[in-house]
Amino acid sequence: GLNERVCELTATSLGADTSRIFLWDGENRSFGAIADYGDDPETWAVIRVVPLPATSIAGLMPRLERGERAGVEDVGVGGDQYG
C-alpha cells in the first residue's frame, strides 16, 4: 500500500535498512505501527501489535507535539520502548 511505499522510499533515500510509520493514539498516549519496510516477518509481527508508549520516547515528544519531524535511529524489539 501507500504507507509501505513511503517506508520503502524513506529507507532507500536515507540509506537505512528499515523504515516504519507509527500512528499516534492520543487516548492511550502511545504510537501504533501501521507500515514498515525492511523488517523480517517476525520483527514486524511484534512491532505492529505492541504499542510504543510515549514515555519511552519522551525526548522526541516535544518535537512531535509541535508537529515537527522526528526520527529514531534504532528502535529494536524487546527494549524498554516496547515494554
Side-chain angles (χ1 to χ4, degrees):
L2 179 61
N3 288 329
E4 289 77 11
R5 182 71 174 136
V6 169
C7 287
E8 180 181 1
L9 292 172
T10 300
T12 302
S13 296
L14 298 175
D17 295 330
T18 61
S19 176
R20 301 176 190 118
I21 296 175
F22 289 85
L23 186 64
W24 174 244
D25 177 352
E27 185 176 323
N28 294 313
R29 298 215 28 95
S30 65
F31 294 89
I34 61 167
D36 84 314
Y37 172 80
D39 287 312
D40 61 71
E42 283 185 359
T43 301
W44 177 238
V46 172
I47 290 171
R48 69 183 177 90
V49 298
V50 179
L52 181 64
T55 56
S56 68
I57 56 168
L60 293 177
M61 287 306 296
R63 292 184 66 188
L64 294 171
E65 288 169 348
R66 290 190 303 266
E68 297 175 7
R69 290 178 289 156
V72 179
E73 289 185 21
D74 185 18
V75 179
V77 175
D80 289 340
Q81 64 273 20
Y82 287 99

Coordinates of all heavy atoms in Angstrom, one line a residue:
G1 N 0.8 -1.2 0.0 CA 0.0 0.0 0.0 C 0.8 1.3 0.0 O 2.1 1.2 -0.1
L2 N 0.2 2.4 0.1 CA 0.9 3.7 0.0 C 1.8 3.8 1.2 O 3.0 4.3 1.0 CB -0.2 4.8 0.0 CG 0.4 6.2 0.0 CD1 1.2 6.4 -1.2 CD2 -0.8 7.2 0.1
N3 N 1.4 3.5 2.4 CA 2.3 3.7 3.6 C 3.6 2.8 3.5 O 4.7 3.3 3.8 CB 1.6 3.4 4.9 CG 0.6 4.5 5.2 OD1 0.7 5.6 4.9 ND2 -0.5 4.1 5.9
E4 N 3.4 1.6 3.0 CA 4.6 0.7 2.8 C 5.5 1.3 1.8 O 6.7 1.3 1.9 CB 4.1 -0.7 2.4 CG 3.4 -1.4 3.5 CD 2.0 -1.0 3.8 OE1 1.4 -0.3 3.0 OE2 1.5 -1.5 4.8
R5 N 5.0 1.9 0.7 CA 5.8 2.5 -0.3 C 6.5 3.8 0.3 O 7.7 4.0 0.0 CB 4.9 3.0 -1.5 CG 5.7 3.6 -2.6 CD 6.5 2.6 -3.4 NE 7.1 3.2 -4.5 CZ 8.4 3.1 -4.9 NH1 9.2 2.2 -4.3 NH2 8.9 3.7 -6.0
V6 N 5.9 4.5 1.1 CA 6.5 5.7 1.8 C 7.7 5.2 2.6 O 8.8 5.7 2.6 CB 5.5 6.5 2.6 CG1 6.3 7.5 3.5 CG2 4.5 7.2 1.7
C7 N 7.5 4.1 3.3 CA 8.6 3.5 4.1 C 9.7 3.1 3.3 O 10.9 3.3 3.6 CB 8.1 2.3 5.0 SG 7.0 2.7 6.3
E8 N 9.4 2.4 2.1 CA 10.5 1.9 1.2 C 11.3 3.1 0.7 O 12.5 3.1 0.7 CB 9.8 1.1 0.1 CG 10.9 0.6 -0.9 CD 10.2 -0.1 -2.1 OE1 9.0 -0.3 -2.1 OE2 11.0 -0.6 -2.9
L9 N 10.6 4.1 0.2 CA 11.2 5.3 -0.3 C 12.1 6.0 0.7 O 13.2 6.5 0.4 CB 10.2 6.3 -1.0 CG 9.5 5.8 -2.2 CD1 8.4 6.7 -2.6 CD2 10.5 5.6 -3.3
T10 N 11.6 6.1 2.0 CA 12.3 6.7 3.0 C 13.6 6.0 3.3 O 14.7 6.6 3.4 CB 11.4 6.8 4.3 OG1 10.3 7.6 4.0 CG2 12.2 7.4 5.5
A11 N 13.5 4.7 3.5 CA 14.7 3.8 3.8 C 15.7 4.0 2.6 O 16.9 4.1 2.9 CB 14.2 2.4 4.0
T12 N 15.2 3.9 1.4 CA 16.1 4.0 0.3 C 16.8 5.3 0.2 O 18.0 5.4 0.0 CB 15.3 3.7 -1.0 OG1 14.7 2.4 -0.9 CG2 16.2 3.7 -2.2
S13 N 16.0 6.4 0.4 CA 16.6 7.7 0.3 C 17.6 8.0 1.4 O 18.6 8.7 1.2 CB 15.5 8.8 0.5 OG 14.6 8.7 -0.6
L14 N 17.4 7.4 2.6 CA 18.3 7.7 3.7 C 19.4 6.6 3.8 O 20.2 6.7 4.7 CB 17.5 7.7 5.0 CG 16.5 8.8 5.1 CD1 15.7 8.7 6.4 CD2 17.2 10.2 5.1
G15 N 19.3 5.6 3.0 CA 20.3 4.5 3.1 C 20.1 3.7 4.3 O 21.1 3.1 4.9
A16 N 18.9 3.6 4.8 CA 18.6 2.8 6.0 C 18.1 1.4 5.6 O 17.6 1.2 4.5 CB 17.5 3.5 6.8
D17 N 18.3 0.5 6.6 CA 17.8 -0.9 6.4 C 16.3 -1.0 6.5 O 15.7 -1.8 5.9 CB 18.5 -1.8 7.3 CG 20.0 -1.9 7.1 OD1 20.4 -1.7 6.0 OD2 20.7 -2.1 8.1
T18 N 15.8 -0.2 7.5 CA 14.3 -0.3 7.7 C 13.7 1.1 7.9 O 14.5 2.1 8.2 CB 14.0 -1.0 9.1 OG1 14.7 -0.4 10.1 CG2 14.5 -2.5 9.0
S19 N 12.4 1.2 7.7 CA 11.7 2.4 8.0 C 10.3 2.0 8.4 O 9.8 1.0 8.0 CB 11.6 3.2 6.7 OG 10.8 4.4 6.9
R20 N 9.7 2.7 9.4 CA 8.4 2.4 9.9 C 7.6 3.7 10.0 O 8.1 4.8 10.3 CB 8.5 1.8 11.2 CG 9.3 0.5 11.2 CD 9.5 -0.1 12.6 NE 10.4 -1.2 12.5 CZ 11.6 -1.2 13.2 NH1 11.9 -0.2 14.0 NH2 12.4 -2.2 13.1
I21 N 6.3 3.6 9.9 CA 5.3 4.7 10.2 C 4.5 4.3 11.4 O 4.0 3.2 11.5 CB 4.4 4.9 9.0 CG1 5.2 5.4 7.8 CG2 3.4 6.0 9.4 CD1 4.4 5.6 6.5
F22 N 4.5 5.2 12.4 CA 3.7 5.0 13.6 C 2.6 6.0 13.6 O 2.7 7.2 13.2 CB 4.5 5.2 14.8 CG 5.5 4.1 15.0 CD1 6.8 4.1 14.4 CD2 5.2 3.0 15.9 CE1 7.7 3.0 14.6 CE2 6.1 2.0 16.1 CZ 7.3 2.0 15.4
L23 N 1.4 5.6 14.1 CA 0.2 6.5 14.2 C 0.0 6.8 15.7 O 0.0 5.8 16.5 CB -1.0 5.8 13.6 CG -2.3 6.7 13.5 CD1 -2.0 7.9 12.6 CD2 -3.4 5.8 12.9
W24 N -0.2 8.0 16.0 CA -0.5 8.4 17.4 C -1.9 8.0 17.9 O -2.9 8.3 17.2 CB -0.3 10.0 17.5 CG -0.6 10.5 18.9 CD1 -1.6 11.4 19.1 CD2 0.0 10.3 20.1 NE1 -1.6 11.7 20.5 CE2 -0.6 11.1 21.1 CE3 1.1 9.5 20.5 CZ2 -0.2 11.1 22.4 CZ3 1.5 9.6 21.8 CH2 0.9 10.3 22.8
D25 N -1.9 7.4 19.1 CA -3.2 7.1 19.7 C -3.3 7.9 21.0 O -2.7 7.6 22.0 CB -3.2 5.6 20.1 CG -4.5 5.2 20.8 OD1 -5.3 6.0 21.2 OD2 -4.6 4.0 21.0
G26 N -3.9 9.1 20.9 CA -4.0 10.0 22.0 C -4.7 9.5 23.2 O -4.3 9.8 24.3
E27 N -5.6 8.7 23.0 CA -6.4 8.1 24.2 C -5.4 7.2 25.1 O -5.5 7.3 26.3 CB -7.5 7.2 23.7 CG -8.4 6.7 24.9 CD -9.6 5.9 24.3 OE1 -10.2 6.4 23.3 OE2 -9.9 4.9 25.0
N28 N -4.6 6.5 24.4 CA -3.6 5.6 25.1 C -2.2 6.2 25.3 O -1.4 5.5 25.8 CB -3.6 4.2 24.5 CG -4.9 3.5 24.5 OD1 -5.5 3.4 25.6 ND2 -5.3 3.0 23.4
R29 N -2.0 7.4 24.7 CA -0.7 8.0 24.7 C 0.4 7.1 24.3 O 1.4 6.9 24.9 CB -0.4 8.7 26.1 CG -1.4 9.7 26.4 CD -0.9 10.9 27.2 NE 0.4 11.4 27.1 CZ 0.9 12.3 26.2 NH1 0.0 12.9 25.4 NH2 2.1 12.7 26.2
S30 N 0.1 6.5 23.1 CA 1.1 5.6 22.5 C 1.0 5.7 21.0 O 0.1 6.3 20.4 CB 0.8 4.1 23.0 OG -0.4 3.7 22.5
F31 N 2.0 5.1 20.4 CA 2.1 5.0 18.9 C 1.9 3.6 18.5 O 2.5 2.6 19.1 CB 3.5 5.5 18.4 CG 3.7 7.0 18.7 CD1 4.3 7.4 19.9 CD2 3.4 7.9 17.7 CE1 4.5 8.7 20.1 CE2 3.6 9.2 18.0 CZ 4.1 9.7 19.2
G32 N 1.2 3.4 17.4 CA 1.0 2.0 16.9 C 1.6 2.0 15.5 O 1.4 2.9 14.7
A33 N 2.4 1.0 15.2 CA 3.0 0.8 13.9 C 1.9 0.5 12.8 O 1.1 -0.4 13.1 CB 4.1 -0.2 13.9
I34 N 1.9 1.2 11.7 CA 0.9 0.9 10.7 C 1.6 0.5 9.4 O 0.9 0.0 8.5 CB 0.0 2.2 10.4 CG1 0.8 3.4 10.0 CG2 -0.8 2.5 11.7 CD1 0.0 4.5 9.4
A35 N 2.9 0.7 9.2 CA 3.6 0.3 8.0 C 5.1 0.1 8.3 O 5.6 0.7 9.2 CB 3.4 1.3 6.9
D36 N 5.7 -0.7 7.5 CA 7.1 -0.9 7.6 C 7.8 -1.3 6.3 O 7.1 -1.6 5.3 CB 7.5 -2.0 8.6 CG 7.4 -3.4 8.0 OD1 6.5 -3.7 7.3 OD2 8.4 -4.1 8.3
Y37 N 9.1 -1.2 6.2 CA 9.9 -1.6 5.1 C 11.2 -2.2 5.7 O 11.8 -1.5 6.5 CB 10.2 -0.5 4.1 CG 11.1 -0.9 3.1 CD1 10.7 -1.7 2.0 CD2 12.5 -0.6 3.2 CE1 11.6 -2.1 1.0 CE2 13.4 -1.1 2.2 CZ 12.9 -1.8 1.1 OH 13.8 -2.2 0.2
G38 N 11.5 -3.4 5.3 CA 12.8 -3.9 5.7 C 12.8 -4.8 6.9 O 13.8 -5.5 7.1
D39 N 11.8 -4.9 7.7 CA 11.7 -5.7 8.8 C 11.5 -7.2 8.4 O 10.7 -7.4 7.5 CB 10.6 -5.3 9.8 CG 11.0 -4.1 10.6 OD1 12.1 -4.0 11.1 OD2 10.1 -3.2 10.6
D40 N 12.1 -8.1 9.1 CA 11.7 -9.5 8.8 C 10.3 -9.8 9.4 O 9.9 -9.0 10.2 CB 12.8 -10.5 9.4 CG 12.9 -10.4 10.9 OD1 11.9 -10.8 11.6 OD2 13.9 -9.9 11.4
P41 N 9.6 -10.8 8.9 CA 8.3 -11.0 9.3 C 8.1 -11.2 10.8 O 7.1 -10.7 11.4 CB 7.9 -12.3 8.6 CG 8.7 -12.3 7.4 CD 10.0 -11.7 7.8
E42 N 9.0 -11.8 11.5 CA 8.9 -12.0 13.0 C 9.0 -10.6 13.7 O 8.2 -10.4 14.6 CB 10.0 -12.9 13.5 CG 9.7 -14.4 13.3 CD 10.8 -15.2 13.9 OE1 11.8 -14.7 14.5 OE2 10.7 -16.5 13.8
T43 N 9.9 -9.8 13.3 CA 10.1 -8.5 13.9 C 8.8 -7.6 13.7 O 8.3 -7.0 14.6 CB 11.3 -7.8 13.4 OG1 12.5 -8.6 13.6 CG2 11.5 -6.4 14.0
W44 N 8.4 -7.6 12.5 CA 7.2 -6.8 12.1 C 6.0 -7.3 12.9 O 5.1 -6.5 13.4 CB 6.9 -6.8 10.6 CG 5.7 -6.1 10.3 CD1 4.6 -6.5 9.6 CD2 5.4 -4.7 10.6 NE1 3.7 -5.6 9.4 CE2 4.1 -4.4 10.0 CE3 6.0 -3.7 11.2 CZ2 3.5 -3.2 10.2 CZ3 5.4 -2.4 11.3 CH2 4.2 -2.2 10.8
A45 N 5.9 -8.6 13.1 CA 4.7 -9.2 13.8 C 4.7 -8.7 15.2 O 3.6 -8.4 15.8 CB 4.8 -10.7 13.8
V46 N 5.8 -8.5 15.8 CA 5.8 -7.9 17.2 C 5.6 -6.4 17.2 O 4.8 -5.9 18.0 CB 7.2 -8.3 17.9 CG1 7.3 -7.6 19.2 CG2 7.3 -9.8 18.1
I47 N 6.3 -5.7 16.3 CA 6.2 -4.3 16.3 C 4.8 -3.8 16.0 O 4.3 -2.8 16.7 CB 7.2 -3.7 15.3 CG1 8.6 -3.9 15.8 CG2 6.9 -2.2 15.0 CD1 9.7 -3.5 14.7
R48 N 4.1 -4.5 15.2 CA 2.7 -4.0 14.8 C 1.7 -4.2 15.8 O 0.6 -3.6 15.8 CB 2.3 -4.6 13.4 CG 2.0 -6.0 13.4 CD 1.7 -6.5 12.0 NE 1.5 -7.9 12.0 CZ 0.3 -8.5 12.2 NH1 -0.7 -7.8 12.4 NH2 0.2 -9.8 12.1
V49 N 1.9 -5.1 16.8 CA 0.9 -5.4 17.8 C 1.2 -4.8 19.2 O 0.4 -4.8 20.1 CB 0.6 -6.9 17.9 CG1 0.1 -7.5 16.6 CG2 1.8 -7.7 18.4
V50 N 2.5 -4.4 19.4 CA 2.9 -3.8 20.7 C 3.0 -2.3 20.6 O 3.9 -1.8 19.9 CB 4.2 -4.5 21.2 CG1 4.6 -3.9 22.5 CG2 4.1 -6.0 21.2
P51 N 2.1 -1.6 21.2 CA 2.2 -0.1 21.1 C 3.5 0.4 21.7 O 4.1 -0.2 22.6 CB 1.0 0.4 22.0 CG 0.3 -0.8 22.4 CD 1.1 -2.0 22.1
L52 N 4.0 1.5 21.2 CA 5.2 2.2 21.6 C 4.7 3.4 22.5 O 4.2 4.4 22.1 CB 5.9 2.8 20.4 CG 7.2 3.5 20.7 CD1 8.3 2.6 21.3 CD2 7.7 4.1 19.4
P53 N 4.9 3.2 23.9 CA 4.4 4.2 24.8 C 5.1 5.6 24.6 O 6.3 5.6 24.4 CB 4.7 3.7 26.2 CG 5.0 2.2 26.0 CD 5.5 2.1 24.6
A54 N 4.4 6.7 24.7 CA 5.0 8.0 24.5 C 6.2 8.2 25.6 O 7.1 8.8 25.3 CB 4.0 9.1 24.7
T55 N 6.0 7.6 26.7 CA 7.1 7.8 27.8 C 8.4 7.2 27.3 O 9.4 7.6 27.8 CB 6.6 7.1 29.1 OG1 6.3 5.7 28.8 CG2 5.4 7.8 29.7
S56 N 8.4 6.2 26.4 CA 9.6 5.6 26.0 C 10.4 6.4 25.0 O 11.6 6.2 24.8 CB 9.3 4.2 25.4 OG 8.7 4.3 24.2
I57 N 9.8 7.4 24.5 CA 10.5 8.3 23.6 C 10.2 9.8 24.0 O 10.0 10.7 23.2 CB 10.0 8.1 22.1 CG1 8.5 8.3 22.0 CG2 10.5 6.8 21.6 CD1 8.1 8.4 20.5
A58 N 10.3 10.0 25.3 CA 10.0 11.3 25.9 C 10.8 12.4 25.3 O 10.3 13.5 25.1 CB 10.2 11.2 27.4
G59 N 12.0 12.1 24.9 CA 12.9 13.2 24.4 C 12.4 13.7 23.0 O 12.6 14.8 22.6
L60 N 11.6 12.8 22.3 CA 11.1 13.2 21.0 C 9.7 13.9 21.1 O 9.3 14.6 20.1 CB 11.0 12.0 20.1 CG 12.2 11.3 19.6 CD1 11.9 10.1 18.8 CD2 13.1 12.3 18.9
M61 N 9.0 13.7 22.2 CA 7.6 14.2 22.3 C 7.5 15.7 22.1 O 6.6 16.1 21.4 CB 7.0 13.7 23.6 CG 6.7 12.2 23.7 SD 5.7 11.6 22.3 CE 4.2 12.6 22.6
P62 N 8.3 16.5 22.6 CA 8.2 18.0 22.4 C 8.2 18.3 20.9 O 7.4 19.1 20.4 CB 9.3 18.6 23.1 CG 9.6 17.7 24.2 CD 9.4 16.3 23.6
R63 N 9.1 17.7 20.1 CA 9.1 17.9 18.7 C 7.9 17.4 18.0 O 7.3 18.1 17.1 CB 10.4 17.2 18.1 CG 11.7 17.8 18.5 CD 12.8 17.2 17.9 NE 12.7 17.5 16.4 CZ 13.5 17.0 15.5 NH1 14.5 16.1 15.9 NH2 13.4 17.3 14.3
L64 N 7.4 16.2 18.4 CA 6.2 15.7 17.7 C 5.0 16.5 18.1 O 4.1 16.8 17.2 CB 6.0 14.2 18.2 CG 7.0 13.3 17.7 CD1 6.8 11.9 18.4 CD2 7.0 13.1 16.2
E65 N 4.9 17.0 19.3 CA 3.8 17.9 19.7 C 3.7 19.2 19.0 O 2.7 19.8 18.8 CB 3.8 18.0 21.2 CG 3.4 16.8 22.0 CD 3.6 16.8 23.5 OE1 4.3 17.8 24.0 OE2 3.2 15.9 24.2
R66 N 4.9 19.7 18.5 CA 5.0 20.9 17.7 C 4.7 20.6 16.3 O 4.8 21.5 15.4 CB 6.3 21.6 17.9 CG 6.5 22.2 19.3 CD 7.8 23.1 19.4 NE 9.0 22.4 19.0 CZ 9.8 21.8 19.8 NH1 9.6 21.8 21.1 NH2 10.9 21.2 19.4
G67 N 4.5 19.3 15.9 CA 4.3 19.0 14.5 C 5.6 18.9 13.7 O 5.5 18.9 12.5
E68 N 6.7 18.8 14.4 CA 8.0 18.7 13.7 C 8.3 17.2 13.4 O 7.8 16.3 14.0 CB 9.1 19.2 14.5 CG 9.0 20.7 14.8 CD 10.0 21.2 15.8 OE1 11.0 20.5 16.1 OE2 9.9 22.4 16.2
R69 N 9.2 17.0 12.4 CA 9.6 15.6 12.1 C 10.5 15.1 13.2 O 11.3 15.9 13.8 CB 10.4 15.6 10.7 CG 9.5 15.9 9.6 CD 10.3 15.9 8.3 NE 11.1 17.1 8.3 CZ 12.2 17.3 7.6 NH1 12.7 16.3 6.9 NH2 12.9 18.4 7.7
A70 N 10.5 13.9 13.4 CA 11.4 13.3 14.4 C 11.7 11.8 14.0 O 10.8 11.2 13.4 CB 10.7 13.3 15.8
G71 N 12.9 11.4 14.2 CA 13.2 10.0 13.9 C 14.0 9.4 15.0 O 14.6 10.0 15.8
V72 N 13.9 8.1 14.9 CA 14.6 7.2 15.9 C 15.5 6.3 15.1 O 15.1 5.6 14.2 CB 13.7 6.4 16.8 CG1 14.5 5.5 17.7 CG2 12.7 7.3 17.5
E73 N 16.8 6.4 15.3 CA 17.8 5.6 14.5 C 17.6 4.1 14.7 O 17.7 3.3 13.8 CB 19.2 6.0 14.8 CG 19.5 7.4 14.2 CD 21.0 7.7 14.4 OE1 21.8 6.8 14.6 OE2 21.3 8.9 14.4
D74 N 17.4 3.7 16.0 CA 17.3 2.3 16.3 C 16.3 2.0 17.3 O 16.5 2.2 18.5 CB 18.7 1.8 16.7 CG 18.7 0.3 16.9 OD1 17.8 -0.4 16.4 OD2 19.6 -0.3 17.6
V75 N 15.1 1.6 16.9 CA 14.1 1.2 17.8 C 13.9 -0.3 17.7 O 13.3 -0.8 16.8 CB 12.7 1.8 17.5 CG1 11.7 1.4 18.5 CG2 12.9 3.4 17.6
G76 N 14.6 -1.1 18.6 CA 14.6 -2.5 18.5 C 13.5 -3.2 19.2 O 12.9 -2.6 20.1
V77 N 13.2 -4.4 18.9 CA 12.2 -5.2 19.5 C 12.8 -5.7 20.8 O 13.9 -6.2 20.9 CB 11.8 -6.3 18.6 CG1 10.8 -7.2 19.4 CG2 11.2 -5.8 17.4
G78 N 12.0 -5.6 21.9 CA 12.4 -6.2 23.2 C 13.0 -5.2 24.1 O 13.2 -5.5 25.3
G79 N 13.3 -4.0 23.7 CA 13.8 -3.0 24.6 C 12.7 -2.4 25.4 O 11.5 -2.7 25.3
D80 N 13.1 -1.4 26.3 CA 12.1 -0.8 27.2 C 11.0 -0.1 26.4 O 9.9 0.1 26.9 CB 12.8 0.2 28.1 CG 13.7 -0.5 29.1 OD1 13.4 -1.6 29.4 OD2 14.6 0.2 29.7
Q81 N 11.4 0.4 25.2 CA 10.4 1.1 24.4 C 9.2 0.3 24.0 O 8.2 0.8 23.7 CB 11.0 1.8 23.2 CG 11.6 0.8 22.2 CD 13.0 0.4 22.4 OE1 13.5 0.6 23.5 NE2 13.7 -0.1 21.4
Y82 N 9.3 -1.0 24.1 CA 8.2 -1.9 23.8 C 7.7 -2.6 25.0 O 6.9 -3.5 24.9 CB 8.6 -3.0 22.7 CG 8.7 -2.4 21.4 CD1 10.0 -2.0 20.9 CD2 7.6 -2.1 20.6 CE1 10.0 -1.4 19.6 CE2 7.7 -1.5 19.4 CZ 8.9 -1.2 18.9 OH 9.0 -0.6 17.7
G83 N 8.1 -2.2 26.2 CA 7.6 -2.8 27.4 C 6.8 -1.9 28.2 O 6.0 -2.0 29.0

